[in-house]
Amino acid sequence: MKIFLVIIIVFLLSTLNLLLMDFLLGFSFLDSFMHLLNPFWVMSNAEYIMLAGLFFTIIGQQIFLIIKKKEEKRNHS
């Protein structure tokens, strides 16, 4: 769970950093938000599959660790 929380915090801080940099350049909020989404508009299908695989790996690892901890607690009881 800690790893997932760290990933979320890093994602939010990097997104905020990019938004603030666009604000300093004089863009509106909508333009800044569109600049954040632009890389996803130009991705190919293979890149979408790689991105989904990355997310499934991260989420799957967390689920696996939770199940493993529950089994260890059950075995020690």
Side-chain angles (χ1 to χ4, degrees), residues 13-28 31-33 35-36:
L13 289 176
S14 63
T15 303
L16 181 64
N17 184 26
L18 291 172
L19 283 173
L20 289 176
M21 288 174 65
D22 278 348
F23 282 145
L24 290 175
L25 289 171
F27 293 106
S28 67
D31 289 336
S32 300
F33 188 71
H35 288 161
L36 287 175

Side-chain angles (χ1 to χ4, degrees), residues 4-69:
F4 186 67
L5 184 63
V6 168
I7 290 170
I8 296 296
I9 290 172
V10 168
F11 172 74
L12 290 175
L13 289 176
S14 63
T15 303
L16 181 64
N17 184 26
L18 291 172
L19 283 173
L20 289 176
M21 288 174 65
D22 278 348
F23 282 145
L24 290 175
L25 289 171
F27 293 106
S28 67
F29 177 75
L30 183 60
D31 289 336
S32 300
F33 188 71
M34 291 301 166
H35 288 161
L36 287 175
L37 294 179
N38 189 27
F40 296 104
W41 292 337
V42 295
M43 288 174 61
S44 67
N45 290 336
E47 291 171 323
Y48 282 122
I49 292 170
M50 293 292 289
L51 184 63
L54 174 68
F55 286 137
F56 288 139
T57 301
I58 292 170
I59 293 170
Q61 180 185 16
Q62 294 301 314
I63 292 171
F64 175 75
L65 290 174
I66 290 170
I67 292 171
K68 187 176 176 182
K69 285 182 183 181

